[in-house]
Amino acid sequence: MKNKSKDEILNDKYSHYNLAHRPLPISLIVMKAAPHSAALSNTWCDTPERYGLISRLLHWLTALLVLTQFFVVAMWRVFGETGVTFMLSRLAPHGAIGLLLLIIILVRLAWWFSQRGQRPSQPQTIRGRLARGVHGLFYVLLVLISSLGLIRNYAGGWPLKVYGVEVIPGADNDIPALMLPADLLHSPLSWLLLLLVVGHIVMAIAHKRLPRMTKAALITKNF
């Protein structure tokens, strides 16, 4: 005998209700809606098996902004002031992107805190601890670099404008005590971040490809 699904059992139980004249009980409506609500929550939120849509969107948005910053800086260092680099700076202003990046990182930290009990966990191995440490360092560097950039902008008397709209005014007079640490740390920390980004990309590719290569080697060996 075929086992009936939960929906079929509920339909049999309340089949005598005439929807044109009598509404279904609230309990039946809630029971039918619950699986769909849970599925929607699992899509947006994190689960122990996978990261949700919000976490993935925040991750890729962060990656896009970081790579944009490095790309524009690299273009300026290689080609200097040209029509192309000037256009890139207008499309992706360094200070404005830095401010947006800081906001997104703070949102990511808040989202991580709200999801901390239900996210995929790293294994309790050296590799797992290293992965947690690197991800934590990513957050620290992104907050520090963005904050130092904003401090240097303010202390140098340069207002921060986002596509022509001033969002943070500059100081009336230069503040050397704030500019000095920002000048000393902003660039070295940025290069350290770039090294971590490159390492992260290499490890992500290796994590995807290594199991396939190992499996292929085993199959070849068996032949």
Side-chain angles (χ1 to χ4, degrees):
M1 182 177 178
K2 181 182 177 182
N3 293 329
K4 293 185 177 182
S5 67
K6 184 183 289 186
D7 283 346
E8 289 174 334
I9 294 172
L10 291 173
N11 288 335
D12 290 344
K13 184 176 180 181
Y14 294 102
S15 59
H16 60 281
Y17 279 87
N18 186 339
L19 294 179
H21 300 91
R22 298 181 64 185
L24 287 173
I26 295 297
S27 60
L28 176 61
I29 297 173
V30 172
M31 290 177 70
K32 280 182 168 289
H36 303 289
S37 176
L40 183 62
S41 176
N42 288 341
T43 300
W44 290 94
C45 298
D46 297 336
T47 67
E49 292 76 29
R50 61 195 291 274
Y51 291 102
L53 186 58
I54 292 177
S55 291
R56 283 179 281 156
L57 285 173
L58 289 172
H59 170 82
W60 287 111
L61 185 55
T62 303
L64 176 63
L65 292 176
V66 169
L67 292 176
T68 298
Q69 291 283 66
F70 281 119
F71 176 73
V72 175
V73 170
M75 291 292 287
W76 271 92
R77 284 181 177 269
V78 173
F79 299 105
E81 185 174 346
T82 65
V84 174
T85 54
F86 187 73
M87 180 192 68
L88 287 173
S89 295
R90 288 182 63 87
L91 291 174
H94 194 73
I97 298 296
L99 176 61
L100 180 58
L101 192 54
L102 178 60
I103 293 171
I104 290 174
I105 291 302
L106 295 178
V107 171
R108 283 188 69 175
L109 287 171
W111 180 249
W112 168 84
F113 185 79
S114 71
Q115 303 289 299
R116 67 192 184 282
Q118 58 194 51
R119 313 190 93 194
S121 59
Q122 294 286 350
Q124 296 299 322
T125 61
I126 294 177
R127 182 176 177 179
R129 294 189 183 97
L130 182 62
R132 286 194 296 272
V134 169
H135 278 90
L137 186 56
F138 265 121
Y139 282 108
V140 172
L141 285 176
L142 286 169
V143 170
L144 276 177
I145 292 167
S146 301
S147 300
L148 287 170
L150 295 176
I151 291 171
R152 183 171 62 178
N153 227 56
Y154 172 79
W158 305 301
L160 177 62
K161 295 183 178 181
V162 179
Y163 299 108
V165 179
E166 184 176 313
V167 292
I168 300 178
D172 294 332
N173 299 302
D174 290 352
I175 308 176
L178 291 179
M179 288 187 67
L180 181 60
D183 284 336
L184 289 175
L185 296 174
H186 185 75
S187 183
L189 292 179
S190 298
W191 291 115
L192 175 59
L193 177 62
L194 179 59
L195 289 176
L196 286 178
V197 168
V198 173
H200 181 67
I201 293 172
V202 171
M203 292 303 296
I205 294 173
H207 182 70
K208 293 287 185 182
R209 292 181 62 89
L210 191 57
R212 297 177 187 173
M213 294 170 65
T214 304
K215 185 177 180 181
L218 289 173
I219 292 173
T220 304
K221 184 179 179 181
N222 289 334
F223 277 105

